[in-house]
Amino acid sequence: MLILGIETSCDETAAGVVADGNRILSNVVYSQMVHNKYGGVVPELASREHIRTIIPVLEQALHRAAVTLAKIEGIAVTYGPGLVGSLLIGLSLAKSLSYSLGIPLIGINHIEGHIFANFLEHPDLSPPYMCLVISGGHSNLVYVAGKGDYQLLGRTRDDAAGEAFDKVAKVLDLGYPGGPAIDETSKKGRPDFFKFPRAYLEENSFDFSFSGLKTAVAIYASRLSREKLDKHRADIAASFQEAVVDVLVDKGIRACLQRKTQAIALAGGVARNQRLRSKIQREAEKHKLRVFFPSPVLCTDNAAMIAAAGEFHLSSGRRSNLDLNAVPYAPLV
Ligand code: KG4
Ligand code: ZN
C-alpha cells in the first residue's frame, strides 16, 4: 500500500511517501528556521510557516517519490500531541486530499509515529520490547507489547529530555536547537568535570524529571566568571549531558530487566545523541539486550514515520472520519 504521511505537530513541516510500511520513497522535512533567534518555538510563527511551506513540501515529496496523487492509496496525518495551530494545517491538508481523492484517512498519534521509525528501518525488531521516546516535547518509557499495543511505564514530570538540552544550551550560549550543539560541544569536554544531580525519583519509578538538573546547571553557570564559563563550557555541557544520559540508560535498562524484554529501542530527537547511543549500547551488551535506534533523520520529526504507522492502522482496517480534530495533549494510551 502506498501511503502519504503528513506531519506538522511542531516546527517541522513534513511530507513523505512510504510503500508497504517499510520502503521510504520520499521523506521531505522542512525545519523552520524562524524560531532560532527566539531560542524556542513560537507557536504562531510555526503555524504561518506551515501554511507557507506545506504545499511545496507535499509537491517535493510526490516528486521525489516519482508518484502522482492518483497513485496514493491512503493518507496518514499527525493529529496530536502538538501545537494546535500547527496540527490543524496538516490535518486540513490531509482531510482535503482524502475527500477529494476518495481515499482513506488515518490520524496518527505523534508518539506512536516516533515508535514506528524503528519498525520502518528494522524489520528484525519484533515486540515485546522497551522503547524510550525522547524528544523536545516528550520523554516516555513505553513497553511495546505489539504494534499498536503500548503500556506507558514512565514519563516526564516536568521538562522533556530535549527541552532540557535546549534550555541548558541557552544558558551556555550554544544556540537553538540545543541538542545537536551540546552533543558536539560535549565531545571537547569532560563528562566527569562536575557531578550534576541525577533525579531517579522514587525507587522503581520509571518517570523522569529534568528541570532540577536544568536549574542546577543554570545556577552553576551563573556563579562562574565570563572567563571561567568560556573555558569550561564544553566541560559543563558534557557533565550535563552525562547526567541526562545516565538516567535514561539506567531507567531504560532497568525496565527491560523488570519486564524481561530482549531489546530496547530509542526514538525521538534526543535519540540522535551520540553519547546516549554509545552508552546504552555498552550497558545493554552487559545484559545481552539488543539495541535499536533509527538513523538520525528518522529520529527527529518526519512524515515517513507517520506514514509507516498509518500503513499499519489502515491495513488493520482502521479509518478516521473527516471530523478528525487536533488534540494538543493526545495521550499515547
Ligand atoms: O522529535 P523531535 O524532532 O521533536 C519533538 O517531537 O519534540 O525532537 C527535537 C528535540 C529537540 O529538543 C532537540 O534539541 C533534540 O531533539 N535533539 C537532540 C539531538 N538532536 C536533536 N538532543 C540531544 N542530542 C542530539 N544530537
Ligand atoms: Zn517528535
Side-chain angles (χ1 to χ4, degrees), residues 12 110 114 135-138 162-163 165-166 177-180 183 268-270 272-274 299-301:
E12 261 84 29
H110 182 79
H114 278 301
S135 68
H138 329 275
E163 196 178 350
F165 271 92
D166 294 333
D183 197 345
V270 182
R272 289 174 81 131
N273 188 268
Q274 297 167 62
C299 288
T300 30
D301 290 350

Side-chain angles (χ1 to χ4, degrees), residues 180-322:
I182 289 187
D183 197 345
E184 278 311 306
T185 307
S186 295
K187 288 181 188 158
K188 295 173 270 169
R190 282 176 41 203
D192 60 351
F193 174 74
F194 188 82
K195 183 109 179 158
F196 287 116
R198 278 113 170 111
Y200 290 103
L201 306 172
E202 305 81 27
E203 210 183 325
N204 291 327
S205 171
F206 290 122
D207 279 352
F208 301 100
S209 167
F210 295 111
S211 80
L213 168 62
K214 169 199 69 187
T215 308
V217 178
I219 291 172
Y220 184 85
S222 72
R223 289 183 180 155
L224 296 180
S225 64
R226 189 79 231 168
E227 202 180 29
K228 273 237 162 90
L229 180 61
D230 286 344
K231 185 165 169 225
H232 291 298
R233 183 171 279 107
D235 293 325
I236 300 168
S239 300
F240 156 76
Q241 178 176 269
E242 202 67 3
V244 177
V245 167
D246 279 353
V247 174
L248 292 172
V249 171
D250 177 276
K251 297 209 177 208
I253 303 268
R254 212 149 35 80
C256 286
L257 301 179
Q258 193 188 86
R259 300 298 290 262
K260 298 189 171 48
T261 65
Q262 313 288 310
I264 182 159
L266 304 177
V270 182
R272 289 174 81 131
N273 188 268
Q274 297 167 62
R275 182 74 178 164
L276 172 63
R277 286 176 178 235
S278 67
K279 227 171 165 182
I280 202 160
Q281 245 162 347
R282 211 167 58 206
E283 289 304 310
E285 226 164 74
K286 291 184 193 160
H287 300 282
K288 304 208 164 23
L289 298 168
R290 297 182 73 195
V291 180
F292 294 86
F293 34 71
S295 51
V297 69
L298 291 178
C299 288
T300 30
D301 290 350
N302 66 88
M305 67 184 194
I306 303 300
E311 202 271 347
F312 165 71
H313 286 295
L314 287 171
S315 55
S316 312
R318 282 179 280 276
R319 304 280 183 271
S320 295
N321 296 323
L322 288 176

Side-chain angles (χ1 to χ4, degrees), residues 16-302:
V17 180
V18 172
D20 305 322
N22 58 18
R23 244 177 340 113
I24 301 176
L25 303 190
S26 67
N27 189 20
V28 178
V29 180
Y30 170 71
S31 290
Q32 303 177 355
M33 264 94 69
V34 287
H35 311 287
N36 294 10
K37 66 175 177 228
Y38 302 101
V41 179
V42 183
E44 181 58 26
L45 291 182
S47 308
R48 292 179 197 193
E49 279 289 273
H50 286 307
I51 289 183
R52 195 174 67 78
T53 57
I54 189 75
I55 299 296
V57 165
L58 168 68
E59 284 170 346
Q60 265 295 317
L62 294 169
H63 177 74
R64 288 192 200 167
V67 296
T68 58
L69 277 175
K71 291 273 191 309
I72 301 293
E73 295 167 274
I75 313 256
V77 62
T78 306
Y79 71 91
L83 301 169
V84 67
S86 294
L87 289 164
L88 284 172
I89 292 151
L91 275 169
S92 305
L93 175 65
K95 289 197 262 186
S96 315
L97 289 171
S98 164
Y99 181 69
S100 58
L101 298 167
I103 55 175
L105 171 75
I106 185 79
I108 299 296
N109 181 294
H110 182 79
I111 312 283
E112 183 174 38
H114 278 301
I115 291 173
F116 264 80
N118 278 299
F119 286 131
L120 183 50
E121 277 193 313
H122 305 296
D124 53 333
L125 171 63
S126 56
Y129 69 92
M130 210 55 72
C131 188
L132 267 168
V133 187
I134 35 181
S135 68
H138 329 275
S139 305
N140 294 319
L141 184 57
V142 181
Y143 176 76
V144 182
K147 287 184 181 177
D149 185 0
Y150 314 110
Q151 292 170 26
L152 190 59
L153 303 188
R155 63 168 153 199
T156 184
R157 293 193 188 165
D158 39 58
D159 289 1
E163 196 178 350
F165 271 92
D166 294 333
K167 289 177 176 170
V168 165
K170 210 168 172 179
V171 166
L172 298 178
D173 298 323
L174 287 170
Y176 178 86
I182 289 187
D183 197 345
E184 278 311 306
T185 307
S186 295
K187 288 181 188 158
K188 295 173 270 169
R190 282 176 41 203
D192 60 351
F193 174 74
F194 188 82
K195 183 109 179 158
F196 287 116
R198 278 113 170 111
Y200 290 103
L201 306 172
E202 305 81 27
E203 210 183 325
N204 291 327
S205 171
F206 290 122
D207 279 352
F208 301 100
S209 167
F210 295 111
S211 80
L213 168 62
K214 169 199 69 187
T215 308
V217 178
I219 291 172
Y220 184 85
S222 72
R223 289 183 180 155
L224 296 180
S225 64
R226 189 79 231 168
E227 202 180 29
K228 273 237 162 90
L229 180 61
D230 286 344
K231 185 165 169 225
H232 291 298
R233 183 171 279 107
D235 293 325
I236 300 168
S239 300
F240 156 76
Q241 178 176 269
E242 202 67 3
V244 177
V245 167
D246 279 353
V247 174
L248 292 172
V249 171
D250 177 276
K251 297 209 177 208
I253 303 268
R254 212 149 35 80
C256 286
L257 301 179
Q258 193 188 86
R259 300 298 290 262
K260 298 189 171 48
T261 65
Q262 313 288 310
I264 182 159
L266 304 177
V270 182
R272 289 174 81 131
N273 188 268
Q274 297 167 62
R275 182 74 178 164
L276 172 63
R277 286 176 178 235
S278 67
K279 227 171 165 182
I280 202 160
Q281 245 162 347
R282 211 167 58 206
E283 289 304 310
E285 226 164 74
K286 291 184 193 160
H287 300 282
K288 304 208 164 23
L289 298 168
R290 297 182 73 195
V291 180
F292 294 86
F293 34 71
S295 51
V297 69
L298 291 178
C299 288
T300 30
D301 290 350
N302 66 88

